[in-house]
Amino acid sequence: MDFLQVAKERKSHRSFTEEKLDQETIDKLLELAILSPTAMNSQSRTYTVIQDEKILRDLEEVMGKELGRENYKFMGAPCLILVSNPEDIGLRGVQDSSIALTALYYAATYYGLGACWINQFKECQSKEYREILTGLEIPREHVVYAGMVVGYPASQPPAKVKSEPVKYFL
Amino acid sequence: MDFLQVAKERKSHRSFTEEKLDQETIDKLLELAILSPTAMNSQSRTYTVIQDEKILRDLEEVMGKELGRENYKFMGAPCLILVSNPEDIGLRGVQDSSIALTALYYAATYYGLGACWINQFKECQSKEYREILTGLEIPREHVVYAGMVVGYPASQPPAKVKSEPVKYFL
């Protein structure tokens, strides 16, 4: 699919079928994320792919408790991809995870999948939350600034009108 | 160009011809950046496109002074695109600017241009630096977390080997 079409069709999906992703599809998505740049070429991101339902439900419960959001859900998506970065690289970690997630958004569109950026991870730091990350072998010194849910879309969300100001000094 | 090819060919370019971009080309790049997502769909980014040589040289000089880097240069690129965000949205501003710059990287590749992410803006806060931003009509309450130089590549950098760990819980 032409990149113009990918960029124009990319949307945030919030409803998914129950169909899980096979590992080949996941690897194709991650290949494109890993190809995306990192500040100073640090390549210090780690990707954690979760389709295990018990882990997903535990994470929703623990996060919902800390966020004060009853029934907090990953939108029923079968697959969650966490991107984590070492905390000691500061804002570069936020940048690098955002770059990877942008690449994943495009990659999901390219492969006919739906995706939605999940931004609540950076607000979570409870002991129970950290224990789940530890169980996922995410290093202690890493922060999950954001993640992405992915799955086969159950419906197509309407396109959003986009407009941002541009100033020229040519 | 197919998105797979764009993602694989995207590189950081650090040498450029002197040829400026025409406004139509700039607008095609920015169209793709503006289509990229923003956290909570805030669409609060502002783009500032600079090809005016005096402004570019003044900015290099003022930034080089603050960064303690003699001869600080935007790699001889003819065009600099700044992405700014309101400071009060915090990390979301860092995320949103990173998303737009990732889209610009792909867009530059798609249109046969070279680009390089410039990450020093967030380290600058001198009075002289802020005066240049004000001259560029960048709002007082905005921060430039990053920018991008763009131009026609004078050479092709070698591809970098990319590798980042993935863990599966399927």
Side-chain angles (χ1 to χ4, degrees):
Chain A
M1 194 195 295
D2 191 80
F3 174 58
L4 274 194
Q5 195 185 343
V6 171
K8 287 175 181 175
E9 289 192 6
R10 188 218 54 79
K11 291 170 191 165
S12 293
H13 286 81
R14 293 182 172 83
S15 69
F16 303 90
T17 72
E18 289 180 6
E19 189 182 348
K20 291 190 178 188
L21 278 58
D22 58 35
Q23 186 156 350
E24 193 190 335
T25 303
I26 295 169
D27 286 345
K28 285 196 281 188
L29 294 175
L30 291 173
E31 184 197 358
L32 293 173
I34 292 168
L35 277 174
S36 74
T38 48
M40 300 166 74
N41 193 29
S42 72
Q43 298 183 41
S44 58
R45 298 172 293 209
T46 289
Y47 302 87
T48 305
V49 183
I50 311 164
Q51 289 200 128
D52 180 296
E53 287 182 39
K54 177 164 185 340
I55 300 174
L56 290 174
R57 298 298 85 77
D58 286 352
L59 202 45
E60 285 172 340
E61 191 186 327
V62 160
M63 288 176 68
K65 200 170 135 191
E66 181 164 8
L67 296 165
R69 286 172 61 170
E70 234 181 299
N71 265 315
Y72 178 77
K73 297 282 175 214
F74 299 131
M75 303 169 192
C79 182
L80 171 67
I81 302 174
L82 303 178
V83 184
S84 70
N85 293 82
E87 187 164 20
D88 65 5
I89 63 170
L91 285 191
R92 288 199 281 119
V94 184
Q95 294 176 317
D96 287 352
S97 64
S98 304
I99 294 166
L101 290 167
T102 307
L104 282 173
Y105 246 137
Y106 290 131
T109 308
Y110 183 81
Y111 289 113
L113 295 157
C116 193
W117 183 300
I118 306 284
N119 225 4
Q120 282 81 43
F121 301 100
K122 61 177 167 29
E123 295 158 37
C124 293
Q125 45 189 322
S126 71
K127 189 165 161 286
E128 291 80 3
Y129 170 73
R130 196 71 226 186
E131 274 167 7
I132 295 180
L133 297 197
T134 301
L136 294 167
E137 302 164 28
I138 293 176
R140 252 291 148 200
E141 66 276 16
H142 270 220
V143 183
V144 179
Y145 290 109
M148 184 159 272
V149 289
V150 190
Y152 291 92
S155 62
Q156 285 298 330
K160 286 177 183 149
V161 177
K162 302 273 190 167
S163 168
E164 290 178 318
V166 182
K167 284 170 290 178
Y168 303 91
F169 298 86
L170 305 183
Chain B
M1 195 193 297
D2 192 80
F3 175 58
L4 273 194
Q5 194 185 344
V6 171
K8 288 176 181 174
E9 289 192 5
R10 188 218 54 79
K11 292 170 190 166
S12 293
H13 287 82
R14 293 182 173 82
S15 68
F16 302 90
T17 72
E18 289 181 6
E19 189 183 350
K20 292 190 178 188
L21 277 59
D22 57 34
Q23 187 157 349
E24 192 189 336
T25 303
I26 295 169
D27 286 345
K28 285 196 281 189
L29 295 175
L30 290 173
E31 185 196 359
L32 294 173
I34 292 169
L35 277 173
S36 73
T38 47
M40 300 165 73
N41 194 30
S42 72
Q43 300 183 40
S44 58
R45 298 173 292 209
T46 290
Y47 302 87
T48 306
V49 184
I50 312 163
Q51 288 200 129
D52 180 297
E53 288 182 39
K54 177 164 184 339
I55 300 174
L56 290 173
R57 297 300 84 77
D58 286 353
L59 201 46
E60 285 172 341
E61 192 186 326
V62 160
M63 289 176 68
K65 200 170 136 192
E66 181 165 7
L67 296 164
R69 286 172 63 172
E70 234 181 299
N71 265 316
Y72 178 77
K73 297 281 175 213
F74 298 131
M75 303 171 193
C79 182
L80 171 67
I81 302 174
L82 302 178
V83 183
S84 70
N85 292 82
E87 188 164 20
D88 64 5
I89 64 170
L91 285 190
R92 288 199 280 117
V94 184
Q95 293 176 318
D96 288 351
S97 65
S98 304
I99 293 166
L101 289 168
T102 307
L104 282 174
Y105 246 138
Y106 290 131
T109 308
Y110 183 82
Y111 288 113
L113 295 157
C116 191
W117 183 300
I118 307 283
N119 224 6
Q120 281 82 44
F121 301 100
K122 62 178 166 26
E123 295 157 39
C124 293
Q125 45 188 322
S126 72
K127 190 166 161 285
E128 291 80 3
Y129 170 72
R130 197 70 226 186
E131 274 168 7
I132 295 179
L133 297 197
T134 300
L136 294 167
E137 302 164 29
I138 294 176
R140 254 288 150 202
E141 65 276 16
H142 271 220
V143 183
V144 178
Y145 290 110
M148 183 159 274
V149 290
V150 190
Y152 291 91
S155 62
Q156 284 297 330
K160 286 177 182 150
V161 178
K162 302 273 190 166
S163 167
E164 289 178 317
V166 182
K167 284 170 291 180
Y168 302 92
F169 298 86
L170 305 184

